[in-house]
Amino acid sequence: MTGARALLLLLFALATIRPVDGQATRKKTTVRAGTAARASARARAASRLKSRPAAADRTSVTPRKRARPVRRAAAPAIARLEARTPFGLDALRGDLGFLAGASIRNGSWGMMVVSLSQGDTLFSINADVPHQPASTQKVLTSVLALNSLGANYRYHTDVLHTGTLRDGRLDGDLILRGDGDPSLSSRFIGRTPDAAMDSLVGRLVRAGVRQVSGRVIGDASGFEARSIPEGWHPRILQDAYAGRVSGLTLNENLVWVTVRPTTRGSPATVVLEPATTAIPVRASVRTVAGRGASLRLGRGANGISVSGTIGAQGYQRSYSYVVEDPASFTTGAFLAALRRNGITVAGGMTLGPTPSGARPLVSWESPSLETLLTVMNRESVNVIAEHMFRAAGRGSDRHVAGSAFNSDTVLRGLLQRTVGMRSDALRAYDGSGLSQTDLVSPRAMVQLLGWANKASWGPLLHASLPLAGRSGTLRHRMMGTAAQANLHAKTGTTNDIVALAGYVTARNGELLAFTMMYNGRDRWRAREAIDAIGITLANWSR
């Protein structure tokens, strides 16, 4: 009896042990909770379908069952970089050194922080090693433009004429002379791409011009002929943020191809916005039933071609192209606007310098440089930066053609004269920071910020910069911290660069100037470090 009873107890104990093998566990769970598991799978599939972007031609989809994924060990979590609240200079240096050192696995930091109130250097890494600045280059452009041109500088786009003007008839040519004005766009004028040229031509209409017997001549000689700055990578050249540079510019040198449906069975409407006679369009788009669209667009030496179909019940589709020849594009838009506003032109259009003896008719004036500067820095608008950079090198008296070379020369001369910058600390091949050949040392950038802070126009530079947690490219960063509505700086981001340069007030009231430039592939982690350092500077006190 005793042996039999012991055997029974052993069998009972084995039956009550829970299985530990993965396969046995899954089988037991499936049997016991199969209905709930199927319901949960259906709910997850429905959630995935619901979260997809809506598409005009999408049909209902039955989710397919997927094999259960193999579970792998999770990668070690990287600790989030947290801002510090240091007291004293040694504590600040220790905290900033830790944040910079713990943030990246490769690449290089260039960093410097100076107290403008006390005049001492608080922290530096590679202070004299030039780094690529990305869009913090716009700080250099801003200082150069404010110093060379002044806050009240305005671009002037002039319309002149040859021959005689009598009773609304011009017996001669009409000249559109550019000044490199980047504000001739819907960003500043009206709400449509055609508004800028319509506004300019409206002044001619009010001046009584009705007929032109000659041609329209576009004069873009205010700037150098080179439209793509040195060092721009080929992969960005068709991106909307990399518009070309020219003395004659319009709509940030982008053209929109807009396709609008009409009635079913009829050709769709295909237009360029802004309209221009300089770019031919070949269109063969049919309006069909439904809401979807199947369009094919191409661009070549003979213009833009558009073909395909668009649904009568759908909405218009617009696609942007970077304009390769801004001077022709702008002159052609001027000619199209003349005709659209009832002024007949017998001749065609051409490009060339303004003939000697040409007399002025009307002029268009841009917003002040102060206004343009704020838009450029807050939203990091590259086309404004490039045109402002060349205008600054040209000078307020417009005595030379604006060029990147002239601007680089003037900028380096300014820094060497005012702050004693080393000759090898700066190379500016463009005004936006898109060039891969731009270089600036952290010391040169901070010295420039310090000098600008004391200039009469210094408050304008401060006001133009994005404000942490509030405006521009910093509106979603450092929110809810001591840096919010305090730190104001220019951001810079490309595939291999993340940077920030500007000002912040410490907890004890000292005004600090700083620059942080990271060059490498670990940019998201570096950006996290930059924000943590910015907040730490705002938290610091002696």
Side-chain angles (χ1 to χ4, degrees):
M1 292 293 293
T2 303
R5 184 173 182 177
L7 180 60
L8 287 172
L9 289 173
L10 178 59
L11 291 174
F12 177 77
L14 290 172
T16 57
I17 294 175
R18 296 179 64 185
V20 295
D21 177 77
Q23 186 176 359
T25 302
R26 287 196 296 270
K27 184 175 181 181
K28 181 178 179 180
T29 303
T30 302
V31 171
R32 187 175 59 202
T35 302
R38 286 193 295 271
S40 176
R42 285 195 297 270
R44 288 195 300 271
S47 175
R48 285 194 298 271
L49 288 174
K50 184 178 180 180
S51 67
R52 290 177 179 174
D57 301 325
R58 185 178 298 283
T59 57
S60 61
V61 177
T62 302
R64 297 170 56 190
K65 293 184 179 179
R66 299 191 214 177
R68 186 184 297 270
V70 176
R71 293 183 179 273
R72 291 184 174 87
I78 300 176
R80 181 173 178 80
L81 296 173
E82 300 289 348
R84 310 296 181 87
T85 306
F87 179 79
L89 188 53
D90 288 342
L92 176 68
R93 288 173 175 168
D95 287 344
L96 298 192
F98 169 78
L99 290 170
S103 61
I104 60 170
R105 295 161 294 183
N106 56 60
S108 172
W109 275 113
M111 195 178 300
M112 193 168 191
V113 184
V114 170
S115 171
L116 300 182
S117 302
Q118 298 292 334
D120 56 338
T121 298
L122 306 182
F123 183 73
S124 68
I125 301 174
N126 295 326
D128 293 306
V129 178
H131 281 66
Q132 290 180 248
S135 279
T136 59
Q137 179 84 357
K138 294 182 178 70
V139 173
L140 305 176
T141 297
S142 300
V143 171
L144 176 64
L146 285 167
N147 187 70
S148 298
L149 303 174
N152 295 319
Y153 176 86
R154 296 173 189 268
Y155 297 88
H156 293 92
T157 302
D158 301 321
V159 180
L160 307 93
H161 75 92
T162 61
T164 59
L165 177 61
R166 183 180 298 111
D167 297 328
R169 177 181 171 83
L170 172 61
D171 288 316
D173 294 328
L174 204 58
I175 300 100
L176 178 68
R177 184 172 64 193
D179 194 27
D181 182 2
S183 74
L184 286 171
S185 73
S186 55
R187 188 188 294 270
F188 294 95
I189 304 171
R191 293 188 175 182
T192 67
D194 285 322
M197 275 303 163
D198 282 341
S199 298
L200 177 59
V201 170
R203 297 190 177 188
L204 280 175
V205 172
R206 290 190 291 275
V209 178
R210 295 292 180 268
Q211 292 177 285
V212 178
S213 66
R215 306 161 298 169
V216 168
I217 301 173
D219 180 359
S221 61
F223 280 6
E224 63 179 325
R226 181 171 188 165
S227 62
I228 300 175
E230 183 176 344
W232 280 20
H233 197 285
R235 71 168 176 264
I236 73 169
L237 296 184
Q238 299 309 315
D239 293 332
Y241 61 78
R244 305 296 182 257
V245 188
S246 174
L248 271 174
T249 186
L250 177 68
N251 199 47
E252 301 182 8
N253 293 329
L254 298 175
V255 65
W256 289 86
V257 182
T258 297
V259 183
R260 301 187 182 104
T262 55
T263 57
R264 181 178 175 182
S266 300
T269 300
V270 180
V271 297
L272 296 184
E273 297 179 304
T276 178
T277 63
I279 303 176
V281 177
R282 301 185 306 280
S284 57
V285 180
R286 293 183 299 109
T287 305
V288 297
R291 297 179 177 275
S294 176
L295 299 170
R296 293 173 296 279
L297 285 85
R299 181 175 65 172
N302 296 322
I304 294 173
S305 61
V306 190
S307 61
T309 61
I310 186 169
Q313 288 75 46
Y315 51 89
Q316 73 174 32
R317 312 297 172 95
S318 293
Y319 308 87
S320 69
Y321 279 112
V322 174
V323 172
E324 296 296 343
D325 184 357
S328 293
F329 168 66
T330 304
T331 305
F334 180 59
L335 177 55
L338 289 169
R339 293 170 175 171
R340 188 166 59 245
N341 286 274
I343 298 177
T344 60
V345 179
M349 57 159 275
T350 189
L351 300 179
T354 299
S356 61
R359 292 180 291 279
L361 267 173
V362 298
S363 183
W364 182 268
E365 190 175 73
S366 76
S368 68
L369 185 139
E370 176 186 354
T371 299
L372 298 177
L373 193 73
T374 299
V375 175
M376 177 187 82
N377 283 335
R378 292 279 177 88
E379 300 302 330
S380 205
V381 184
N382 296 315
V383 72
I384 297 178
E386 294 302 337
H387 289 77
M388 189 177 291
F389 185 60
R390 285 155 184 76
R394 189 183 186 196
S396 58
D397 58 0
R398 298 165 170 84
H399 63 287
V400 296
S403 72
F405 177 81
N406 288 341
S407 299
D408 174 59
T409 302
V410 174
L411 178 61
R412 286 190 290 110
L414 173 67
L415 268 73
Q416 289 169 358
R417 185 172 64 253
T418 57
V419 301
M421 182 196 74
R422 288 171 40 168
S423 61
D424 62 348
L426 171 70
R427 279 294 182 272
Y429 288 87
D430 71 0
S432 65
L434 287 178
S435 175
Q436 296 180 301
T437 50
D438 288 335
L439 289 171
V440 61
S441 72
R443 189 182 305 278
M445 181 71 83
V446 168
Q447 286 176 328
L448 184 72
L449 288 167
W451 178 74
N453 181 62
K454 295 182 291 187
S456 60
W457 39 259
L460 301 181
L461 176 65
H462 278 270
S464 75
L465 298 172
L467 195 59
R470 289 291 176 83
S471 64
T473 54
L474 283 178
R475 57 184 169 270
H476 299 306
R477 293 172 62 178
M478 294 173 266
M479 299 176 67
T481 70
Q484 180 169 328
N486 170 8
L487 183 146
H488 46 294
K490 184 68 198 75
T491 56
T493 306
T494 69
N495 288 339
D496 304 306
I497 306 166
V498 61
L500 192 68
Y503 306 94
V504 64
T505 300
R507 188 178 295 275
N508 66 348
E510 290 185 45
L511 179 63
L512 314 180
F514 65 86
T515 184
M516 296 176 266
M517 293 180 285
Y518 167 74
N519 292 182
R521 302 296 295 178
D522 222 0
R523 64 185 178 94
W524 290 110
R525 184 71 168 168
R527 174 175 145 156
E528 186 181 335
I530 284 175
D531 285 3
I533 290 172
I535 299 166
T536 298
L537 292 174
N539 287 337
W540 176 69
S541 58
R542 290 188 191 262

